[in-house]
């Protein structure tokens, strides 16, 4: 789409993006400002695009057909073939009270977000468009197969995590490599590790949100892992004390830990002088490890609040990783110490 006066980003668009990030994600509102100025706007915009896709997928008032149509429409909006105003007018009236007020506001201001998207350079735009296309199509497909029975197997969980998080890791890597020729030297390895990075974070979220997901009729746990332990996910109830369920949970915690080890390897490939990019990665890894520790310690939790890390823990993670962001040996030591009580499970590719 050729830029016109109506789709050129303004200072108000920049300010809106900074403002709404505070409302839709405290975590990313904390980590994105750590990035160098050349990356902050595009990464912030990328997060908001993903959040819009999430909103389409998560609002229970939408039918499966509406979800699929709106996801496809938004893909076209990002690519520039459908007007953002058309999408906002179609989705905004359909949103329910289950969608938080900040997300209502985000949908209403989709045109502002998209003006930012279309202001970026061709490499950045291509990375964002690819991510939203894969994420949007994948989320719509998985929503149609939601059930309390869980996903068929671990390989299916891998595919789900790729569509909602691994592809985000690839997108961020494209942006980092476009920003820095020095980072770009490691691009093939970074691209491989980025998918694992995303999966580690997403698996942590899946484990933390088991009960909230089940309340809305979804389960993203792999059936085969639990059946190997003699437990059927169809029998899962809050407060479950079945040995088989706890054992299956332990296996997934161990797999997530291995993915987060790959995330650390990814971070250590970022030049040590790029402290902001490293902090962006390290804070996410640190908070995920702490969350896994809480889940591991209390496998019979019945609400995500029970395994949510405290603000004090967040502050400690921020302080320690910021002080040692350039010291690879220290980061590896801290990871080993903080994850020492988590199960050890190797990733076996199917």
């Amino acid at each position: 789409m050729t830029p016109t006066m109506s789709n050129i980003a303004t200072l108000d668009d920049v300010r809106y993006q900074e403002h709404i990030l505070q409302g839709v994600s405290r975590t990313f509102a904390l980590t994105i400002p750590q990035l160098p100025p050349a990356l902050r706007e595009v990464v912030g915009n990328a997060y908001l695009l993903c959040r819009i896709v999430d909103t389409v997928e998560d609002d229970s008032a939408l039918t499966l057909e509406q979800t699929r149509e709106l996801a496809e429409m938004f893909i076209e909006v990002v690519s520039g073939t459908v007007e953002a105003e058309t999408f906002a007018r179609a989705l905004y009236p359909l949103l329910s009270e289950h969608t938080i007020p900040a997300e209502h506001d985000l949908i209403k201001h989709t045109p502002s977000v998209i003006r930012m998207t279309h202001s970026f350079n061709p490499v950045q735009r291509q990375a964002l468009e690819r991510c939203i296309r894969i994420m949007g199509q994948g989320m719509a497909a998985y929503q149609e197969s939601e059930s309390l029975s869980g996903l068929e197997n671990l390989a299916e969980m891998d595919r789900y995590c790729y569509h909602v998080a691994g592809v985000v890791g690839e997108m961020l890597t494209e942006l980092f490599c476009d920003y820095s020729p020095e980072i770009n030297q490691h691009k093939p390895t970074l691209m491989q590790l980025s998918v694992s990075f995303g999966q580690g974070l997403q698996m942590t979220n899946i484990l933390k949100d088991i009960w909230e997901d089940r309340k809305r009729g979804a389960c993203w746990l792999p059936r085969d892992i639990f059946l190997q332990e003699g437990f059927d996910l169809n029998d899962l109830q809050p407060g479950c004390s079945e040995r088989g369920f706890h054992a299956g949970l332990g296996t997934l915690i161990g797999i997530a830990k291995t993915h987060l080890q790959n995330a650390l390897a990814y971070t250590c490939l970022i030049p040590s002088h790029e402290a902001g990019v490293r902090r962006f990665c390290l804070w996410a890894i640190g908070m995920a490890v702490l969350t896994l520790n809480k889940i591991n310690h209390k496998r019979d939790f019945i609400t995500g609040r029970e395994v949510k890390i405290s603000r004090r823990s967040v502050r400690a993670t921020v302080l320690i990783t910021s002080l040692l962001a350039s010291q690879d040996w220290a980061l590896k030591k801290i990871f080993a110490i903080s994850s020492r009580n988590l199960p050890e499970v190797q990733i076996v590719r199917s």
Side-chain angles (χ1 to χ4, degrees), residues 83-123:
E83 292 291 340
E85 290 82 357
T86 302
F87 170 80
R89 285 196 300 268
L91 175 57
Y92 186 75
L94 301 176
L95 294 174
S96 71
E97 61 184 14
H98 299 294
T99 293
I100 63 173
E103 289 177 346
H104 279 257
D105 192 71
L106 175 60
I107 298 304
K108 186 177 181 179
H109 288 86
T110 299
S112 177
V113 175
I114 295 299
R115 283 194 294 270
M116 292 284 292
T117 307
H118 293 169
S119 73
F120 301 132
N121 71 45
V123 173

Side-chain angles (χ1 to χ4, degrees), residues 207-208 210-211 239 295 298-304 306-307:
L207 295 176
K208 174 176 65 70
I210 288 173
W211 304 112
I295 295 169
K298 190 175 178 57
R299 296 189 193 182
D300 61 349
F301 74 100
I302 59 174
T303 172
E306 294 179 60
V307 292

Side-chain angles (χ1 to χ4, degrees), residues 207 246-247 249-254 289-301 307 339-344:
L207 295 176
H246 287 199
L249 209 56
T251 298
L252 294 178
I253 290 169
V289 170
L290 292 178
T291 301
L292 287 180
N293 272 310
K294 296 202 74 169
I295 295 169
N296 188 53
H297 179 70
K298 190 175 178 57
R299 296 189 193 182
D300 61 349
F301 74 100
V307 292
S339 64
R340 65 184 180 276
N341 294 323
L342 299 177
E344 293 285 346

Side-chain angles (χ1 to χ4, degrees), residues 53 71-72 75 131-142 163:
V53 176
E72 288 291 343
I75 291 168
C131 177
I132 296 305
R133 182 175 65 254
I134 293 173
M135 177 181 284
Q137 292 173 346
M139 281 189 171
Y142 276 103
H163 280 96

Side-chain angles (χ1 to χ4, degrees), residues 57 80 88 137 143 160 163 173 186 194 196 220 237-238 245 252 256 266 276-277 279:
E57 194 255 346
Q137 292 173 346
Q143 192 192 48
Y160 173 73
H163 280 96
T173 303
H186 300 288
S194 68
S196 188
W220 306 114
Q237 297 293 330
F245 173 66
L252 294 178
Y266 176 102
V277 179
R279 284 196 299 271

Side-chain angles (χ1 to χ4, degrees), residues 19 43 106 153 156 229 250 269 276 331 337:
H19 161 74
V43 173
L106 175 60
N153 50 40
E156 191 65 22
E229 302 293 344
L269 284 174
L331 294 173
I337 292 172

